[in-house]
Amino acid sequence: MNTIITKDGVEIFYKDWGKGQPIVFSHGWPLSADDWDTQMLFFLKHGYRVIAHDRRGHGRSTQVGGGHDMDHYADDLAALTAHLNLKGAVHVGHSTGGGEVVHYLARHGESRVAKAVIISAVPPLMVQTAANPGGLPKEVFDGLQAQIATNRAQFYYDSRQDRSMAITDGCETLSGCDLELVAPRDDGWSQGAL
């Protein structure tokens, strides 16, 4: 299993397939590197080196209670790109992964980056604060995390069954939310937003 250890001791799992110009995929919340497999196989077949990691607290990476902010996500991505000595990489980020890529570029520069593809990216700060009054109340995120902690499989099942769920103010349960889900297309890419 391919892993790196970040400076704060978090083990980050990653996939690294092929040779050629690197394409680095950053997944959305609460997904994992596995959600990029179709795209990775497509680009691998076309001569690219494809890389995807499980963000801290996701998939096979260390399940930590802290460090779930864009600074840590960007630093973890920087540690991975440095470890793999990537140059001229294309970074593709979806949802939270899009925010991660943008924050990585802002925090660590573009010296290792050729291009960035941002798909339905979240802003760096989604929670409502005094400085971000247009954000969502923290209770919304607490509710989603509680559902995942209670029964992750049921959360995923419900999210696939209800194609009209979204995070809205005061959303207490997943089925009461109104969230546009990502739907696979024939060409292997996805449409929609989380």
Side-chain angles (χ1 to χ4, degrees), residues 39-176:
Q39 292 80 18
M40 291 176 70
L41 290 169
F42 174 85
F43 286 105
L44 179 66
K45 190 166 60 173
H46 288 84
Y48 290 89
R49 178 182 180 187
V50 292
I51 298 130
H53 66 289
D54 289 349
R55 185 176 300 109
R56 62 174 55 218
H58 296 73
R60 290 146 291 209
S61 291
T62 304
Q63 302 297 305
V64 292
H68 296 286
D69 56 72
M70 289 296 174
D71 285 347
H72 282 89
Y73 296 162
D75 292 349
D76 293 348
L77 183 55
L80 178 64
T81 58
H83 173 77
L84 297 175
N85 195 27
L86 300 181
K87 295 178 180 143
V90 175
H91 284 265
V92 179
H94 168 254
S95 192
T96 301
E100 174 184 299
V101 169
V102 169
H103 208 72
Y104 163 74
L105 289 167
R107 192 166 166 86
H108 297 279
E110 55 189 75
S111 64
R112 295 179 176 271
V113 179
K115 296 178 183 177
V117 179
I118 309 303
I119 306 166
S120 300
V122 299
L125 182 61
M126 290 178 55
V127 71
Q128 188 176 53
T129 65
N132 186 34
L136 294 170
K138 176 121 175 31
E139 295 78 30
V140 172
F141 300 101
D142 293 343
L144 290 170
Q145 287 177 326
Q147 289 175 57
I148 290 172
T150 300
N151 188 335
R152 184 179 292 258
Q154 187 65 48
F155 174 85
Y156 288 135
Y157 178 79
D158 289 346
S159 68
R160 300 230 186 251
Q161 297 303 311
D162 186 350
R163 299 273 186 213
S164 63
M165 299 181 293
I167 301 172
T168 59
D169 290 354
C171 176
E172 298 294 325
T173 65
L174 188 60
S175 61

